[in-house]
Each structure stands twice: as C-alpha cells, then as structure tokens.
Amino acid sequence: MFGRSRIDTKTPDQILRMRKAGLVVGQTLQLMAQTVRPGMTTKQLDELAEEHIRGCGATPSFLGYHGFKGSLCTSVNDEVVHGIPGSRVLAEGDLISIDCGAIVDGWHGDAAISVIVGGRDAGRPEDLELIDATEDSMWAGIAALTVGESLYAVGAGVEDSVVASGERLGRDYGIVEEYVGHGIGTSMHMDPQVPNYRVRDKGPTVRSGVTVAIEPMVTLGSPETRVLGDDWTVVTTDGSRAAHWENTVAVTDEGLWVLTALDGGKERLEAAGAPYAPLA
C-alpha cells in the first residue's frame, strides 16, 4: 500500500534477492569506470555492460524499457540523464554519467556514477568538484534515511550538502528538480518518488524494509533542463555540465544497506555516522 504515511516494504529474504541484482549493477559500473577511455563510443561501453550483466545471469533493466535502446544510460557533459548509447566518440576530459540497472530473479538494482574520460587527471577542476559534490550529496541523502522519520529528509540532506559544497568552493550549483529518486523492487520505478531537494510536505514515513533509489543530479549552472528530439536525452538548457550519482538502498530497524555498493556502503555510511546494517 502507498500513501502519505505508508511505503511498500520488503522482507529480509526479498532484500537479499535485491542485493544480488545490486551487486551485478555495482560490478558493472566498476567495470565501466575502469574501461572508459578516449576514442571509445558510448555504444561500445553499452555492449560491454550488456555482456557483463548477462554473463552474471542477470538481465539489463533498461534495454527495451519504454522502447529504450541501451543497457546503459550514457550522458555526456551537458547531458544530465537518459543519454542513449550510440556512435558518439568519447574525448579526453569529457564528463560522463553512466546509469545501469539489472534484474535477477525478478528483482531490480539501479545505480549511477559520474567519471572523467581519461581519468581524474584529465578533468577540469570544476568538473571534478561537481562530481565529488554530487556524490557527497547522494551519501548525505542516504544517511538521512531513518525508520520512523520522513522520507523527504533525503532531499533536505541532498540540498544541504550541495549548498555546503557550493559555498566552500565558491560555486552556485543547480539541483535538477524534474527528475527524482524512486522506490524500487520488482519494478525499476515504483512509488514513492524521492525528491533531491527540500520540500515543505512532511511526506511518507520511512518503515523497516523500505528500498529506494537515491539519485541527485547537479549542474554547474542552471538546474533547468530540456529533452532532446530523441525523446530521451535530458540536457541542461544553459549548456552547463551535469553529474549524476545513484544507489539502491535498503532501510531496516538496524540501519542501512546500500545494495548497489560493492562494500554495502560501509565506508561512507560509517564516515557519515549512519548505521551500516547488512543482512548477510
């Protein structure tokens, strides 16, 4: 049941099943980060990802989803999300956000990373700062997930982190509001929506067994976006670069388990003072 104060929950066994899908996603993204290089096309990345996902006994979540033609979303520079893999050749210094989903035994995992093509040494300082600020905001949002508290504390955590990073770096980051996090389980996108910014509404209350995908999208300029003629690729209206990070998270009375992080989120959660509580 969904509603203002209730969110669909999973049993411990179901969360363990989701962890299997989450590990495939995490391993695939690790492979993408290690593989992406100047001269590759986004289609080559996509083909490698699909081969890896299927080799793990999983199915790509994105391929065929409402007609989407890739196993990854590959969004480059001013592309925020939903970039379609194709013939685009990646150049040194490009900022690419790679979003991946996988299904194992009917259960989904969903996560995204942002990296510099050619490695961090090839990146512009402002792009490296954007990537780090966006990742930090994701972890701040995840750390705000607490049983008995409002789900919308996630957005407050994300926004506070982005603002703090901007103030520290002297930058005015934009937080994209048109696209938000979401529930996840036997479908990739489920209720509830999870804003990446502070809202007045108290929102639904987090219960033990909740699984959600937290995914802030942050820009170097305006937060306004538009969709290209392919009906998928979302770009910033001012041409500024964007970063996107995402993880699938399970919440229990004992704490948090980041299902798409290879270490379950242990290091980042403990650094944030949030309880790390794997089920296995």
Side-chain angles (χ1 to χ4, degrees):
M1 178 183 293
F2 300 100
R4 179 178 173 83
S5 61
R6 293 185 64 81
I7 313 173
D8 183 39
T9 60
K10 314 297 186 301
T11 67
D13 179 68
Q14 290 170 335
I15 292 173
L16 288 169
R17 291 171 182 267
M18 289 184 67
R19 173 61 168 166
K20 293 179 181 179
L23 282 173
V24 173
V25 171
Q27 291 162 359
T28 303
L29 289 175
Q30 181 184 62
L31 176 63
M32 297 299 98
Q34 294 170 343
T35 303
V36 64
R37 64 184 185 275
M40 290 189 76
T41 66
T42 53
K43 181 63 174 176
Q44 287 175 315
L45 272 181
D46 186 72
E47 290 171 346
L48 179 61
E50 181 178 358
E51 180 182 9
H52 183 266
I53 290 168
R54 295 192 186 280
C56 293
T59 303
S61 300
F62 298 173
L63 188 60
Y65 181 77
H66 295 295
F68 191 77
K69 296 181 180 180
S71 297
L72 299 175
C73 294
T74 52
S75 306
V76 184
N77 295 334
D78 64 328
E79 297 173 354
V80 183
V81 285
H82 304 161
I84 304 172
S87 60
R88 180 170 187 162
V89 178
L90 296 170
E92 184 169 296
D94 280 344
L95 193 170
I96 182 171
S97 297
I98 305 172
D99 195 351
C100 178
I103 312 166
V104 176
D105 297 330
W107 294 94
H108 288 253
D110 187 9
I113 59 173
S114 291
V115 299
I116 298 296
V117 178
R120 287 182 67 93
D121 289 345
R124 307 185 309 179
E126 60 268 34
D127 291 344
L128 298 175
E129 292 166 353
L130 174 66
I131 287 171
D132 293 344
T134 306
E135 183 183 14
D136 288 347
S137 76
M138 174 191 67
W139 286 106
I142 290 171
L145 283 166
T146 306
V147 171
E149 300 296 329
S150 170
L151 179 66
Y152 293 170
V154 170
V158 169
E159 181 174 323
D160 288 349
S161 178
V162 172
V163 170
S165 291
E167 290 177 346
R168 176 173 53 84
L169 297 166
R171 302 199 182 280
D172 188 15
Y173 292 125
I175 301 174
V176 174
E177 296 189 2
E178 291 95 337
Y179 304 92
V180 298
H182 51 89
I184 184 170
T186 52
S187 296
M188 180 166 55
H189 294 125
M190 303 174 69
D191 287 333
Q193 294 190 339
V194 188
N196 297 309
Y197 48 90
R198 181 175 275 100
V199 295
R200 292 183 179 180
D201 192 342
K202 182 181 184 300
T205 300
V206 177
R207 297 188 294 152
S208 182
V210 161
T211 53
V212 288
I214 308 301
E215 54 174 326
M217 291 144 261
V218 182
T219 75
L220 279 173
S222 169
E224 301 303 317
T225 66
R226 63 185 179 91
V227 180
L228 297 184
D230 61 20
D231 292 329
W232 280 104
T233 308
V234 177
V235 300
T236 58
T237 56
D238 63 0
S240 62
R241 290 190 172 188
H244 174 209
W245 283 86
E246 178 181 17
N247 268 311
T248 297
V249 188
V251 190
T252 65
D253 288 322
E254 288 70 36
L256 304 170
W257 195 16
V258 184
L259 303 178
T260 42
L262 298 185
D263 73 342
K266 184 178 188 295
E267 181 178 351
R268 293 297 298 253
L269 290 172
E270 291 180 346
Y276 166 67
L279 298 183

